[in-house]
Amino acid sequence: MMPSHASERGTEAAPRTEGRAERRAERAERRAEQRTHADYTGGVYGSMLAASVIVGAGSLGQFPRLELVLLLVLTGGVFWIAHVHAQLFGARLTRQAWDRRVVMRVCRDEWPIVKAAVPPAVAVAVSPLLGLDVQGALWFGLSVAVAGQVGWAATAARRAGAAWRQVALSAAVNLLLGMVIIGFKLWLKK
């Protein structure tokens, strides 16, 4: 009688294991599809936003590095909230119902705006370790923001299946836009 129970358990365990494996495969497939269809324009936008914040932060108070780090992260957060609101409000206007899953998807899709603000903020935060003064920290943060902008643009183009020539063109256009922002910083400094 023992062997029959063992064989029954064995047959019961196999379907459960197969079900788990199928669910894991489905989750992996969904994650791969999300990566394939990911929209990195928020990262490009967020990097440009961070660069603009650095350029506009000409005169900061008593703790300029800390204030700039907070300004970068908080501005990224506010713009993220604004984009999530705009996406959800736009969906509502088109009579599309949304639930928790839709809200979470929109929040996740717009998250690159915040992610793009982090590297320039980190650059400013670690600038004293590199022996940079406040102006050096601003330039370092601005350089990191422009590099991020170019990187996000190239990643977006590549993930969209663009040919290498189009990836290079996208990166070049975003580098040019970054140079325009740097030009504004130089012009404002005069």
Side-chain angles (χ1 to χ4, degrees), residues 9-25:
R9 279 188 212 138
T11 57
E12 287 176 12
R16 269 192 233 152
T17 305
E18 287 174 12
R20 275 189 228 136
E22 287 173 6
R23 286 191 300 274
R24 261 188 260 129

Side-chain angles (χ1 to χ4, degrees), residues 61-91:
Q62 190 174 0
F63 304 102
R65 285 186 178 94
L66 177 60
E67 290 171 10
L68 183 55
V69 167
L70 289 173
L71 187 61
L72 285 164
V73 173
L74 294 174
T75 302
V78 167
F79 273 77
W80 171 70
I81 291 168
H83 276 248
V84 168
H85 175 267
Q87 291 290 333
L88 293 174
F89 188 69

Side-chain angles (χ1 to χ4, degrees), residues 46-63:
S47 295
M48 290 179 82
L49 175 66
S52 299
V53 165
I54 292 169
V55 168
S59 61
L60 296 171
Q62 190 174 0
F63 304 102

Side-chain angles (χ1 to χ4, degrees), residues 19 22 24 38 46-47 60 84 87 89-90 105 107 114 133 142 145 147 152 172 176 179:
E22 287 173 6
R24 261 188 260 129
S47 295
L60 296 171
V84 168
Q87 291 290 333
F89 188 69
R105 181 188 52 77
C107 288
V114 176
D133 63 1
L142 181 56
W152 281 104
L176 178 64
M179 292 298 150

Side-chain angles (χ1 to χ4, degrees), residues 1-183:
M1 190 130 191
M2 276 298 247
S4 67
H5 286 304
S7 63
E8 285 176 18
R9 279 188 212 138
T11 57
E12 287 176 12
R16 269 192 233 152
T17 305
E18 287 174 12
R20 275 189 228 136
E22 287 173 6
R23 286 191 300 274
R24 261 188 260 129
E26 287 172 7
R27 283 193 302 268
E29 188 176 320
R30 275 195 307 267
R31 283 191 302 269
E33 185 177 324
Q34 287 171 347
R35 282 191 304 272
T36 302
H37 297 296
D39 183 4
Y40 294 95
T41 55
V44 173
Y45 177 77
S47 295
M48 290 179 82
L49 175 66
S52 299
V53 165
I54 292 169
V55 168
S59 61
L60 296 171
Q62 190 174 0
F63 304 102
R65 285 186 178 94
L66 177 60
E67 290 171 10
L68 183 55
V69 167
L70 289 173
L71 187 61
L72 285 164
V73 173
L74 294 174
T75 302
V78 167
F79 273 77
W80 171 70
I81 291 168
H83 276 248
V84 168
H85 175 267
Q87 291 290 333
L88 293 174
F89 188 69
R92 194 68 167 162
L93 288 177
T94 59
R95 307 271 189 245
Q96 295 174 358
W98 38 272
D99 56 11
R100 181 179 178 275
R101 191 178 49 205
V102 170
V103 171
M104 295 306 291
R105 181 188 52 77
V106 170
C107 288
R108 185 181 59 246
D109 289 350
E110 297 297 331
W111 191 245
I113 294 171
V114 176
K115 285 173 57 175
V118 172
V122 169
V124 170
V126 302
S127 65
L129 301 174
L130 302 173
L132 298 174
D133 63 1
V134 174
Q135 282 302 310
L138 290 171
W139 281 106
F140 185 40
L142 181 56
S143 300
V144 169
V146 171
Q149 177 183 331
V150 172
W152 281 104
T155 300
R158 193 66 199 133
R159 289 279 174 99
W164 285 108
R165 180 184 290 161
Q166 293 169 315
V167 172
L169 179 63
S170 178
V173 165
N174 277 278
L175 180 59
L176 178 64
L177 291 171
M179 292 298 150
V180 167
I181 293 170
I182 289 172

